[in-house]
Amino acid sequence: MSASIRARKPIGVFDSGLGGLSIIREVRKILPRESIAYFGDLAHLPYGIKSTEQIRQFSLQNADFLVRLGVKLLVVACNSSSSAAFKWLQRRVPVPVVDVIQPVVREAAKVTRTGRIAVIGTSATIESGAYPRALLELNRRFQITVQPCPLFVPLVEEGWRHDRIAESVVKKYLIPVKNKRPDVLILGCTHYPLLKPMIRKVLGPGIRLLDAVKPATEEIKSTLIRLGLQTGQRGDGKMHIYLSDRPRNFIRVGEQFLGEKLTHVHQVHLS
Amino acid sequence: MSASIRARKPIGVFDSGLGGLSIIREVRKILPRESIAYFGDLAHLPYGIKSTEQIRQFSLQNADFLVRLGVKLLVVACNSSSSAAFKWLQRRVPVPVVDVIQPVVREAAKVTRTGRIAVIGTSATIESGAYPRALLELNRRFQITVQPCPLFVPLVEEGWRHDRIAESVVKKYLIPVKNKRPDVLILGCTHYPLLKPMIRKVLGPGIRLLDAVKPATEEIKSTLIRLGLQTGQRGDGKMHIYLSDRPRNFIRVGEQFLGEKLTHVHQVHLS
């Protein structure tokens, strides 16, 4: 296939749920001509409580689906997948792969002044040790604090982002983190940016909050440019959303992430 | 197969996770000679946020696994499966099937004095309408209040059953329920009995809390007797636990439900 034909193909993005749409939102802002195929594995979500082997198997299924659709680049928008399966997938997929951990980790390394970096995420992401590993590869002297926050996702999905319960939960998880005096906190889960106002309120102004959205989108853009894969087409790119289960109330959550109406939604059955 | 050989086979129980072990605990108390094969579908949990079609597909996979093991009776210990798939499974499985909804609903109908009955459960269980349907089949004049409580399961799994956050969450969901003045509250999820102390504290003494454990176990016993399937073997029955993913921190949760150490745990891969 010639490079220009390949360049017209969509960018493939997968996540266990709809949180990865927050990356699509940014991609559509800075790369509006690119078409996108998004796969949300609602049938198997959440990944964050499952084993590495299981997450790899689901991730490969998702990747295969998108590769068969003909994507030119694969984005692993799920933190649990990125920690359990990113390098493993790179060896199994015939297109370049971008994850959500490496880009934000490089950003954290760039902006920290004290070298004290905190990371929050699901149990699977934290237990995998992927963030500390990636951070320490960049600088062995970083002091890293990690904290799993398993109640954050259900809080966001329930829509309780601003009330007293959210505040209590955020305090319970993050006051011990604050006491370690980090100057950067990585929000290692696609749902957590929706809790930013509450996290800021609890942590105060001295800690910089970083999430994967902007760094990952920059990584997507620079990878496309480096490989000559930017689309040459005019007009806005298309977006198709594939889900492995009926979305129930996830549409509401998904539209919060995407910042626009969810259209072109297809239900597919993978296994 | 002769009835006495069939009677020696284990009782098969499945759940999306380990909550169904609370029923095993009671079965082992009142039917100690019966052997048990338990299947926990950890790879696909939780069911409570997925579609009816998806829950049916998972449930049939679990049931097929246990039927191939040679169980004499199938217990659907998961509320989401019971509401989405009980009657549907009965038509597809060659052994008698007991669910966790019908028995507790009959118990509720028996003990209510005012006819005002409340039901709490996961989103899928509540949205399915299975409890109101089953209650109204028994008495069309029952007044039924339903309330999904999606944060209860993560609270239990986090081990936050007794603290201020649990109290706030229980109040947020259940004060509106209390205001409807039910005299019976059905806890329509295997995890919820672990929150009973907090629920009692919030609701006060005037509302009877019913869960599926005792009614479902009585149903299992009476079904075995009715069909001549009680084991004739002496000595304690065996228990084998099959899980579709590595159990991570679920072992701790599972032992809370079972009330004994988890042994004879096998990991199996279904699809």
Side-chain angles (χ1 to χ4, degrees), chain B residues 19-68:
Chain B
L21 292 171
S22 55
I23 289 174
I24 307 287
R25 179 184 200 160
E26 187 71 13
V27 169
R28 282 167 73 77
K29 210 182 290 172
I30 74 163
L31 298 165
R33 293 184 180 176
E34 297 293 343
S35 289
I36 289 159
Y38 183 90
F39 184 80
D41 193 14
L42 301 188
H44 301 126
L45 104 169
Y47 288 1
I49 51 174
K50 294 169 192 172
S51 69
T52 299
E53 301 75 33
Q54 190 64 65
I55 296 170
R56 284 180 176 175
Q57 192 209 326
F58 291 149
S59 301
L60 187 58
Q61 259 179 9
N62 306 342
D64 280 346
F65 172 78
L66 290 168
V67 166
R68 281 197 307 271

Side-chain angles (χ1 to χ4, degrees), chain A residues 42-46 49-51 53-54 57-58 124 127 150 158 160 163 172-173 244-246 248 269, chain B residues 42-46 49-51 53-54 57-58 124 127 150 158 160 163 172-173 244-246 248 269:
Chain A
L42 301 188
H44 300 126
L45 104 167
I49 51 174
K50 294 170 193 173
S51 69
E53 300 75 35
Q54 190 64 65
Q57 192 209 326
F58 291 149
E127 283 170 31
E158 190 68 338
W160 296 359
D163 74 356
K172 184 148 176 167
Y173 286 130
S244 59
D245 192 13
R246 258 198 312 121
R248 301 177 65 94
H269 185 67
Chain B
L42 301 188
H44 301 126
L45 104 169
I49 51 174
K50 294 169 192 172
S51 69
E53 301 75 33
Q54 190 64 65
Q57 192 209 326
F58 291 149
E127 283 171 31
E158 189 69 339
W160 297 358
D163 74 356
K172 185 148 176 168
Y173 286 130
S244 59
D245 191 13
R246 258 197 312 122
R248 301 177 67 93
H269 185 67

